[in-house]
Amino acid sequence: MLREINDRAAIDTLLREGPLTRSDLEYVIGLSKPATAQLLTRLEQDGIVVKDGVRGGGRGPRAQLWSVNGAVAHVAAVDLTPHGAEFAIADITGKVLTEYSAPLPVEAGADVAGAFREATVAATASANLALDDLKHVVIGAQGALNPKTGHLESAPHLPGWSGFDLPGKLSEALGVGVTIENDVNLVALEEMISGEAAELRDFVLVWLSEGVGGAVVVGRRLLRGATGGGGEIDWLRIPGTDGGESGRFGDLVDSPAIVELAARHGFRGDTGWAVVGEAVRSGQDGQAFLAALARRVAMGVANVVSVVDPETVLLCGEVSRAGGAVLAGLVAGELHQLVIPRTPVGLASVPGNPVRAGALHSALSVVREQLFGLAPATAVPIS
């Protein structure tokens, strides 16, 4: 048992901190020099660690570096949207070996499992791997997965992916475990690992882009709900704003709605983030439009803040990035007129594709727990 505990501590340290010398590892895990040397020899014989160059310079001795053998296992992370799938294939250390994009069918009746298998085979081949080299796949999808049925719900834009046990069908098609997670939940996970929520216990994430979504984290645990619908704020009904009718929150702040609202204020563009960016750059001329948009956003967010009372609301997605601190400040001002808590409103900070990044961390957590017994990087349950 002590040997397993020490092995696990060494593997965890090498995964977190990268290549280390024997003396580095000895210091971190608190073992003697002989015990650490025996541990490394044992893990090398098992194929778990490998020699990874040397450290040193000048006239002093050069110390051997050790790292976890990336070839021990591989995972796939996928951002699934109505436009297709964005893959990342990585080894057990988290090193991304390839990124791959593929169109996928979304219409009802399509063979989505077969198409996804073909895309996954092509993605792994681009990393010089075979499908059976994968140990786990995590997919971020724009919808809520019901844990009781495996059905993807609240996803009218992905009709072909609904109405059946999605993770079960994909797992059978690939021959490897598949986890389906809400895309915004994965963004929240990534923010807790490497973004603005690293030190937060309770926060609400609001995704403003082509579509709208949300995630709620309480005590550093995602609030998924009994049917997987926790955080689905796009379905909230909010009263009419700007002289309009009441409606679904998602229909009032998605990209087409923002384009229409901007046109009323003299700003024209093809996407919501484009007109928001133009309004921010125009300074005072864009304030009326941005204030109207902030009012709509705040009306939806207020419902969640009133119940959860989070430490912070984080805005993410293309619209939020385009609006930046200007939009966040306006949303905060409107929000504070609607609720008692003076909740700060900030911006998420994970660059690139945060959905896929969160999916990658989730997949790595699953496999590292399976192989090494390591706990997830955060307290968030992964599957």
Side-chain angles (χ1 to χ4, degrees):
M1 182 182 298
L2 287 175
R3 179 179 295 179
E4 290 180 0
I5 292 172
N6 291 334
D7 288 355
R8 189 179 303 127
I11 294 167
D12 186 36
T13 300
L14 289 171
L15 286 171
R16 282 187 290 104
E17 302 188 22
L20 295 174
T21 66
R22 190 216 69 237
S23 59
D24 291 335
L25 196 57
E26 174 188 326
Y27 174 79
V28 173
I29 63 178
L31 292 179
S32 66
K33 183 182 297 184
T36 305
Q38 292 173 5
L39 178 152
L40 287 170
T41 299
R42 182 170 63 250
L43 293 179
E44 183 183 25
Q45 290 173 346
D46 291 341
I48 296 174
V49 303
V50 292
K51 295 182 175 69
D52 192 6
V54 294
R55 178 191 297 164
R59 300 178 181 177
R62 300 175 63 171
Q64 178 68 59
L65 289 167
W66 298 85
S67 65
V68 172
N69 181 6
V72 166
H74 299 88
V75 299
V78 187
D79 179 16
L80 176 65
T81 74
H83 307 297
E86 298 285 337
F87 286 80
I89 308 296
D91 66 23
I92 192 64
T93 69
K95 179 183 177 181
V96 175
L97 305 179
T98 190
E99 296 178 346
Y100 183 84
S101 300
L104 290 175
V106 297
E107 64 274 9
D111 180 14
V112 297
F116 186 77
R117 176 186 168 86
E118 290 181 7
T120 308
V121 168
T124 53
S126 70
N128 296 316
L129 298 172
L131 183 59
D132 58 9
D133 288 319
L134 296 180
K135 293 297 183 184
H136 200 74
V137 178
V138 172
I139 303 171
Q142 298 177 4
L145 189 84
N146 189 321
K148 298 177 182 178
T149 65
H151 290 198
L152 186 65
E153 300 174 350
S154 305
H157 44 288
L158 295 169
W161 298 77
S162 304
F164 55 91
D165 178 4
L166 183 57
K169 190 167 186 176
L170 294 181
S171 295
E172 181 180 3
L174 269 61
V176 62
V178 175
T179 297
I180 311 293
E181 180 62 272
N182 172 264
D183 55 350
V184 187
N185 281 351
L186 290 174
V187 177
L189 171 63
E190 191 63 21
E191 283 293 324
M192 281 190 280
I193 293 173
S194 60
E196 292 298 310
E199 304 297 327
L200 297 177
R201 289 190 55 78
D202 310 306
F203 67 96
V204 172
L205 196 77
V206 180
W207 177 273
L208 301 173
S209 186
E210 185 177 15
V212 179
V216 179
V217 172
V218 177
R220 292 191 70 77
R221 298 180 72 87
L222 282 165
L223 183 64
R224 289 183 173 87
T227 64
E232 291 293 307
I233 61 173
D234 52 322
W235 294 89
L236 284 171
R237 301 289 297 188
I238 64 174
T241 59
D242 311 305
E245 297 293 325
S246 63
R248 191 170 69 92
F249 179 54
D251 292 335
L252 293 172
V253 293
D254 64 6
S255 185
I258 294 174
V259 169
E260 187 274 332
L261 179 64
R264 294 193 218 165
H265 292 83
F267 292 93
R268 312 221 173 250
D270 296 329
T271 63
W273 48 93
V275 292
V276 168
E278 180 187 352
V280 170
R281 290 188 295 272
S282 70
Q284 190 62 38
D285 292 340
Q287 285 298 299
F289 158 57
L290 293 173
L293 174 59
R295 193 171 307 116
R296 291 187 178 188
V297 174
M299 291 288 284
V301 174
N303 289 276
V304 185
V305 170
S306 296
V307 175
V308 178
D309 189 15
E311 294 173 76
T312 299
V313 172
L314 292 175
L315 305 180
C316 60
E318 285 91 343
V319 170
S320 301
R321 283 196 292 268
V326 173
L327 179 61
L330 290 170
V331 171
E334 295 289 342
L335 179 64
H336 296 164
Q337 297 183 47
L338 299 171
V339 296
I340 293 176
R342 311 297 290 179
T343 308
V345 177
L347 297 169
S349 62
V350 174
N353 186 330
V355 175
R356 197 175 62 183
L360 178 56
H361 270 118
S362 295
L364 289 171
S365 291
V366 169
V367 176
R368 288 171 179 177
E369 183 175 13
Q370 291 174 346
L371 295 181
F372 308 132
L374 300 181
T378 74
V380 180
I382 301 301
S383 60

